[in-house]
Amino acid sequence: GGEVDVVDWIGNEDGMQQQTSSTITSLTPLKMSDSPDSPTQLKIQSLVDDNPVLLFMKGSKLFPQCGFSNTACQILQSYNIDFESVDVLADEQIRQGVKDFSQWPTIPQLYVCGEFVGGSDIMIEMYQSGELGEMIEKAKADMV
């Protein structure tokens, strides 16, 4: 029965972690990974500053690696705008760092004119309301 005890213990341990994970995960990445002036955060800040329309996504514009990133790309492409994308799958530090940077837990993340807009669900709503189009037009004007 020794093995079963170990497995049960691991199961219980996981159960314990499961209950407290929401508080732990929200605090831990900030402590562990990135202060606002860490290299990753500074890199993200400069990407946001340098690109009027910036999408942190899974995959690339040409080959999105998830449905939400694909949706985000299609919305941006509908405006015929030259937007920059960053593949978070290629860089684990950026993938985690951008979540800390925006205080937003999911990818994709859209930035327009240095401002965090949101994920694909928010982009869809703002696309339908016309609000995103206005932001993009402003960004286009800034690009010229």
Side-chain angles (χ1 to χ4, degrees), residues 55-77 83 85-89 106-109 119-121 123:
L55 184 68
F56 288 93
M57 61 180 291
K58 293 179 179 176
S60 68
K61 286 192 266 195
L62 295 175
F63 297 105
Q65 297 290 308
C66 88
F68 299 111
S69 290
N70 186 35
T71 299
C73 281
Q74 287 184 345
I75 289 173
L76 291 175
Q77 284 161 351
F83 67 97
S85 66
V86 176
D87 180 3
V88 299
L89 298 177
T106 56
I107 307 288
Q109 294 187 8
S120 61
D121 48 350
M123 287 176 68

Side-chain angles (χ1 to χ4, degrees), residues 91-138:
D91 189 332
E92 186 54 44
Q93 286 182 310
I94 294 284
R95 184 179 186 172
Q96 185 53 54
V98 75
K99 294 175 185 180
D100 297 340
F101 185 83
S102 61
Q103 301 292 302
W104 188 260
T106 56
I107 307 288
Q109 294 187 8
L110 175 66
Y111 288 82
V112 177
C113 299
E115 205 175 302
F116 175 59
V117 177
S120 61
D121 48 350
I122 290 170
M123 287 176 68
I124 291 167
E125 284 172 31
M126 291 177 69
Y127 173 74
Q128 290 169 339
S129 74
E131 202 178 339
L132 187 59
E134 290 169 23
M135 288 178 93
I136 298 289
E137 286 306 316
K138 182 179 175 303

